[in-house]
Amino acid sequence: MRWSPPASAGAQVSFPGVTAYIRAMVTLPPPFQTWFASRGWSIHPHQQQMLDRSGAPTLLLIAPTGGGKTLAGFLPSLIELSEDPADGLHTLYVSPLKALAADIKRNLRTPVEEMGLRIRIEDRTGDTSQTQKKRQRADPPHILLTTPESLALLTSYEDAPRMFKGLQRVVVDEIHALAESKRGDQLMLGLARLNSLCPGLRRVGLSATVEDPAAIARLLARHPDPCEILNADPGPDPDIAMLMTDDPPPWAGGGGRYAIPAVLDEVKKHNTTLIFHNTRAQAEIFFHALWLANEDDLPIGIHHGSLAREQREKVEAAMVAGDLRAIVCTGSLDLGIDWGDVDLVIQVGAPKNVKRLVQRIGRANHRYNAPSKALLVPANRFEIVECHAALEAVKEHDLDGDPRGRGPRDVLCQHILITACAGPFEADTLYAEVITTGAYVNLTRPEFDDCLDFCATGGYALRAYDRWQRLMQRPDGQWQLRDPRAVRQIRMNIGTIWDYETLKVAWKGRGGGGRPLGEIEEGFASTLTHGDTFLIGGQVVRFEGMRELTVEVTRRADKEPKVATFNGTKFATSTQLSDRILRIFQQEDWPDLPEHTANWLRLQRKVSKLPEPERLLVESFPHDGRNHTVVYGFAGRNAQQTLALIVTQRMEEEGLHPLGFVATDYATLIWGLDPLQNADPLFDPDGLREGLEKWLSGNAVMKRTFKASAYIAGLLDKNFPQSARKSGRQATFSSDILYDTLHKYDPNHLLLQITREEALRGLIDFGRIETMIDRIGGRIDHSILDRVTPLAAPLFLEPGRIAIHGSGTERVIAEEAERLMMAAGLAS
Amino acid sequence: MNEYQIAFAGIPLIATASGALWWATERVLCVSDLHLGKSERIARRGGTLLPPYENRETLGRLQTDLDRYDPRVVVCLGDSFDDLRAADHLDAESTQTLVTLMAGRDWIWIEGNHDPGPMGFGGTHMRELSLPPLLFRHIAQPGADREVSGHYHPKKRITGRGRSVLRPCFLIDQKRVILPAYGAYTGGLDCETPVLADLVGPDAVAILVGKSVAAVPA
């Protein structure tokens, strides 16, 4: 092979100075040429570029769905393996979805078999059998397809150095999705580990279209290695519009049920339609209603992350076989499983985020260079404005996104424990390895040492665990687990997705152990009583009771269902979209919007006001036995949430008994027992700044954040070995107790520091509120009304309500207790 | 409201918001399921390293109740320690606090399933205690009468105005009182759970404790 400067192959190379890794135009070996020719294909320019630069330490390919991205990622591996099919792991492929790994395995085996290559390709996920997993460790395939969690588990085994010996390439698929979450941070720490085990390891990232490719390149590259960015042809602009219906959308509400006849018409007109929803609960309701209206018995399926694996696999198989005309789905189908013949994407509910919308649209039509077709279905009239803004943004190629902060330290704590599972380690070596990771480049040694100390001793001011350290230092200075049996517990709790407690739902069977249906949130399960009905997997089921930690249900379709609340991802509308909406509100009239929506905005303008950029609109009104206040800050969901936390604290001090709030990107809705008379003092800038300090000390969001970090950092275990489980439920207690205890006795503890950082990241810097305060300059319009306003109505259906545990709670308990005792004839 | 008056076995008793039972006429204070040393026990067994402050918190609460009621007799209704080794390994500060609390009064340690044997602390160690008309033991027995027990860590859910709250509670019927867990690191068992619901009569009352007290039908 000859190394030379890049040939001008029409490549858009972002780091033109980096040339050492670029080989001259690599010609495909004969079997590959024959195979491409037999398919009538020629190699895409970006596939050729990936091949030419395959020696580079890191490459990032940005390509639209259907652009042959996966083959571009694997082609260098296939060629290298065809030239030298030595035993052992050559390429590791990591994707955010188990299903994707299985799908890629299928797609990759086809060319390998057709070219007669002797390349072993296997996947390894949570679903792989124990026998298969054991065998893979002893005798790894050439190409292993896996997920970040399974990779973390692999690196925790003592034999990891042997298994990964000789690993040449790692391909991270859909890296744009991983880059947004802690799963990505965990993966990158894992890759740092792999690079230490295999110094020549090359990294490749495959990404959908994003607003800031350089940021993803920084995450992917092993610091300080460079990362070239290759851009594939983005293809033609999508064919996208709002779905017009005979009936206007409802005043409020989600789900888009009103549009079902129109959606069914579109399904009939197309081969295969994907119908995306923003939440699992909405997907369930929509699917149920769609099924009732489906008089032609079109084959339609449902797919979301809370459904049992068996259910999802059935739908996936039917889809691959081309047996389905439509699938109602959520983000679980956002990523690149190749469904073949999808020719229409329908997005129900406002897309919230332009980048994600563009990626979803890409799901329609996997033929390269044909425009994707998509329809937006606003769920209510507010969403018409949102959809309108989103369409404008797509036309202008104005993608959105928020920059990621530093690597979270709870993930690092878990990484330290995982490292310890594999065997003794040197602190210096591990630190040097961690700071090669993009997100942890700026991690200081003291910060690292705090994490190590937390893992070893708990890191408490009261040094209570000197005898029972989790990690201890050996005479030679290396760190190891004190109790080797702890590996089991640590391995069982690997992972960074711990948002909500969920319970399994299964059919009630004779002798127990009925077929699983899916999962619901524990909070929702706790509100169910015997005989209640809810929707799951598109079916109405009846709650029969709990069997250990499983919700048992029977078939019963005779009652209006409650709706299960799932732990599905909640999208935040991007700031860019919010700004567009605010600008639309300022128009004198709205000729571009449907008449009913324009009328609605006119009505809001008449009974109250429309929010303006230079003023703050606050509305107060009674509704459903409680007093409500809406603050239209348009500061983004996180800042609106921060605002709610501070404002409710001040309301509590003023004796208004606030009970809870919900925040969206535009507004905060607060409800409580007593009405707000004067909004001005609540939004006084100095008071708000002072309130932030108190806010940080204790509230529901902080506790929720703490809980997630406590699970990730290994302070709390979510999964226990079977033997430890019999101790029963009264042995487990709420993480809130730990938060309160730490806050009282050890306020500077690492986990509280992490919680604060997380809360500021999740709720965004107070700077956003500062910006809002500056923007409104004390100009507050407080409308006191006697009923819900048109603009406020949709807020009542927002998920993510947060309860305030203040004096209002005690009053509710007292009132309810009195009522119940009276009703029972027990009151004195 | 921080106290709730009940009449049980013909005598007046007070359920406190902290989860203690106060028998004013005999000056007996009863607390159950302190689970001292829980974090130490979990760490010793190779589990996670929980914040080691639960003894400080639990004994602090007890101190407040003792200061307020100045009991002649304190009955710890079992599971006072998370296991017997936890009693031996109690940290110096907590040991000191406990000894101070015990000074000058009768202190009864009832045996629990977590601490089924004598410990190296003063006081009297018993399986059960009869202080007529009441009988104190750790685990309620079916068919018993005038019985005061703990063990189950009862909790009660209350829902109103769209708010649902789960709180530790006393569970009381004509024949028995079941105390909530007093210890800081304790979970609970919902009163609706069959094992608890079957134990008490249909007219049972739950007294929720925590920030305030409130009684509801169980």
Side-chain angles (χ1 to χ4, degrees), chain A residues 110-130:
Chain A
T110 309
V112 165
E113 280 162 18
E114 289 177 1
M115 282 186 273
L117 302 176
R118 294 198 359 235
I119 299 177
R120 243 173 78 202
I121 303 166
E122 291 174 14
D123 62 343
R124 180 191 183 96
T125 66
D127 298 347
T128 310
S129 75
Q130 287 304 322

Short mmCIF file of all heavy atoms in Angstrom, two decimals, chain A residues 110-130:
data_model
loop_
_atom_site.label_atom_id
_atom_site.label_comp_id
_atom_site.label_asym_id
_atom_site.label_seq_id
_atom_site.Cartn_x
_atom_site.Cartn_y
_atom_site.Cartn_z
N THR A 110 -25.91 -10.90 4.14
CA THR A 110 -26.25 -11.09 2.72
C THR A 110 -25.03 -10.90 1.83
O THR A 110 -24.64 -11.84 1.12
CB THR A 110 -27.39 -10.15 2.31
OG1 THR A 110 -28.44 -10.32 3.26
CG2 THR A 110 -27.91 -10.46 0.93
N PRO A 111 -24.37 -9.72 1.83
CA PRO A 111 -23.20 -9.58 0.94
C PRO A 111 -22.09 -10.56 1.28
O PRO A 111 -21.41 -11.09 0.38
CB PRO A 111 -22.73 -8.13 1.17
CG PRO A 111 -23.37 -7.68 2.41
CD PRO A 111 -24.64 -8.46 2.55
N VAL A 112 -21.90 -10.84 2.58
CA VAL A 112 -20.82 -11.73 2.98
C VAL A 112 -21.05 -13.12 2.40
O VAL A 112 -20.14 -13.74 1.85
CB VAL A 112 -20.71 -11.78 4.52
CG1 VAL A 112 -19.84 -12.96 4.96
CG2 VAL A 112 -20.13 -10.47 5.04
N GLU A 113 -22.30 -13.58 2.47
CA GLU A 113 -22.60 -14.91 1.93
C GLU A 113 -22.52 -14.92 0.41
O GLU A 113 -21.98 -15.84 -0.19
CB GLU A 113 -23.97 -15.39 2.41
CG GLU A 113 -23.91 -15.95 3.83
CD GLU A 113 -25.28 -16.03 4.50
OE1 GLU A 113 -26.30 -15.98 3.78
OE2 GLU A 113 -25.31 -16.13 5.74
N GLU A 114 -23.06 -13.84 -0.19
CA GLU A 114 -23.07 -13.81 -1.65
C GLU A 114 -21.67 -13.73 -2.24
O GLU A 114 -21.40 -14.19 -3.34
CB GLU A 114 -23.94 -12.66 -2.16
CG GLU A 114 -25.42 -12.94 -1.91
CD GLU A 114 -26.33 -11.80 -2.31
OE1 GLU A 114 -25.82 -10.76 -2.81
OE2 GLU A 114 -27.53 -11.94 -2.13
N MET A 115 -20.74 -13.10 -1.48
CA MET A 115 -19.36 -13.02 -1.98
C MET A 115 -18.56 -14.23 -1.53
O MET A 115 -17.38 -14.35 -1.85
CB MET A 115 -18.70 -11.74 -1.46
CG MET A 115 -19.13 -10.51 -2.22
SD MET A 115 -18.20 -9.04 -1.70
CE MET A 115 -19.15 -8.46 -0.34
N GLY A 116 -19.19 -15.09 -0.75
CA GLY A 116 -18.50 -16.29 -0.28
C GLY A 116 -17.37 -16.00 0.68
O GLY A 116 -16.38 -16.72 0.72
N LEU A 117 -17.48 -14.90 1.44
CA LEU A 117 -16.42 -14.55 2.39
C LEU A 117 -16.58 -15.38 3.66
O LEU A 117 -17.70 -15.67 4.08
CB LEU A 117 -16.48 -13.07 2.73
CG LEU A 117 -16.36 -12.11 1.55
CD1 LEU A 117 -16.54 -10.68 2.00
CD2 LEU A 117 -15.02 -12.29 0.86
N ARG A 118 -15.45 -15.74 4.27
CA ARG A 118 -15.53 -16.51 5.53
C ARG A 118 -15.41 -15.56 6.70
O ARG A 118 -14.38 -15.45 7.34
CB ARG A 118 -14.44 -17.58 5.53
CG ARG A 118 -14.72 -18.60 4.44
CD ARG A 118 -14.01 -19.92 4.57
NE ARG A 118 -13.11 -20.06 5.71
CZ ARG A 118 -11.84 -20.41 5.59
NH1 ARG A 118 -11.32 -20.62 4.41
NH2 ARG A 118 -11.10 -20.57 6.65
N ILE A 119 -16.47 -14.81 6.91
CA ILE A 119 -16.48 -13.81 7.99
C ILE A 119 -17.62 -14.15 8.94
O ILE A 119 -18.77 -14.28 8.51
CB ILE A 119 -16.67 -12.39 7.42
CG1 ILE A 119 -15.51 -12.05 6.48
CG2 ILE A 119 -16.78 -11.37 8.54
CD1 ILE A 119 -15.65 -10.70 5.82
N ARG A 120 -17.28 -14.29 10.21
CA ARG A 120 -18.32 -14.61 11.21
C ARG A 120 -18.88 -13.31 11.80
O ARG A 120 -18.14 -12.46 12.28
CB ARG A 120 -17.71 -15.44 12.33
CG ARG A 120 -18.30 -16.83 12.44
CD ARG A 120 -17.52 -17.62 13.46
NE ARG A 120 -17.88 -17.25 14.81
CZ ARG A 120 -17.09 -17.45 15.88
NH1 ARG A 120 -15.91 -17.98 15.74
NH2 ARG A 120 -17.51 -17.11 17.07
N ILE A 121 -20.20 -13.17 11.73
CA ILE A 121 -20.86 -11.96 12.23
C ILE A 121 -21.90 -12.38 13.27
O ILE A 121 -22.77 -13.20 12.98
CB ILE A 121 -21.56 -11.21 11.08
CG1 ILE A 121 -20.56 -10.86 9.99
CG2 ILE A 121 -22.24 -9.94 11.58
CD1 ILE A 121 -21.19 -10.43 8.69
N GLU A 122 -21.80 -11.83 14.46
CA GLU A 122 -22.78 -12.18 15.50
C GLU A 122 -23.18 -10.94 16.27
O GLU A 122 -22.43 -9.96 16.32
CB GLU A 122 -22.16 -13.20 16.48
CG GLU A 122 -21.94 -14.57 15.86
CD GLU A 122 -21.19 -15.50 16.81
OE1 GLU A 122 -21.07 -15.20 18.02
OE2 GLU A 122 -20.72 -16.54 16.32
N ASP A 123 -24.39 -10.98 16.87
CA ASP A 123 -24.76 -9.86 17.73
C ASP A 123 -24.75 -10.31 19.18
O ASP A 123 -24.76 -11.51 19.48
CB ASP A 123 -26.12 -9.26 17.33
CG ASP A 123 -27.26 -10.25 17.46
OD1 ASP A 123 -26.99 -11.46 17.53
OD2 ASP A 123 -28.41 -9.81 17.48
N ARG A 124 -24.68 -9.35 20.06
CA ARG A 124 -24.65 -9.62 21.49
C ARG A 124 -25.36 -8.47 22.20
O ARG A 124 -24.89 -7.35 22.22
CB ARG A 124 -23.20 -9.69 21.97
CG ARG A 124 -23.08 -9.97 23.47
CD ARG A 124 -21.66 -9.76 23.94
NE ARG A 124 -21.54 -10.12 25.34
CZ ARG A 124 -21.12 -11.31 25.78
NH1 ARG A 124 -20.78 -12.23 24.93
NH2 ARG A 124 -21.06 -11.55 27.07
N THR A 125 -26.52 -8.78 22.71
CA THR A 125 -27.31 -7.76 23.42
C THR A 125 -27.89 -8.41 24.67
O THR A 125 -27.59 -9.57 24.97
CB THR A 125 -28.48 -7.27 22.56
OG1 THR A 125 -29.40 -8.36 22.36
CG2 THR A 125 -28.02 -6.77 21.20
N GLY A 126 -28.74 -7.67 25.38
CA GLY A 126 -29.41 -8.23 26.55
C GLY A 126 -30.24 -9.46 26.20
O GLY A 126 -30.58 -10.25 27.06
N ASP A 127 -30.57 -9.60 24.91
CA ASP A 127 -31.44 -10.70 24.50
C ASP A 127 -30.68 -11.97 24.10
O ASP A 127 -31.29 -13.00 23.85
CB ASP A 127 -32.30 -10.28 23.29
CG ASP A 127 -33.22 -9.12 23.65
OD1 ASP A 127 -33.34 -8.84 24.86
OD2 ASP A 127 -33.80 -8.51 22.73
N THR A 128 -29.34 -11.88 24.02
CA THR A 128 -28.55 -13.04 23.60
C THR A 128 -28.51 -14.08 24.72
O THR A 128 -28.42 -13.72 25.89
CB THR A 128 -27.11 -12.59 23.24
OG1 THR A 128 -27.20 -11.49 22.35
CG2 THR A 128 -26.32 -13.71 22.59
N SER A 129 -28.55 -15.35 24.36
CA SER A 129 -28.59 -16.41 25.38
C SER A 129 -27.26 -16.49 26.13
O SER A 129 -26.21 -16.10 25.62
CB SER A 129 -28.88 -17.75 24.71
OG SER A 129 -27.71 -18.21 24.04
N GLN A 130 -27.32 -17.02 27.34
CA GLN A 130 -26.12 -17.12 28.18
C GLN A 130 -25.06 -18.01 27.52
O GLN A 130 -23.88 -17.68 27.54
CB GLN A 130 -26.49 -17.68 29.56
CG GLN A 130 -27.23 -16.69 30.45
CD GLN A 130 -26.48 -15.38 30.66
OE1 GLN A 130 -25.26 -15.36 30.80
NE2 GLN A 130 -27.22 -14.27 30.68
#
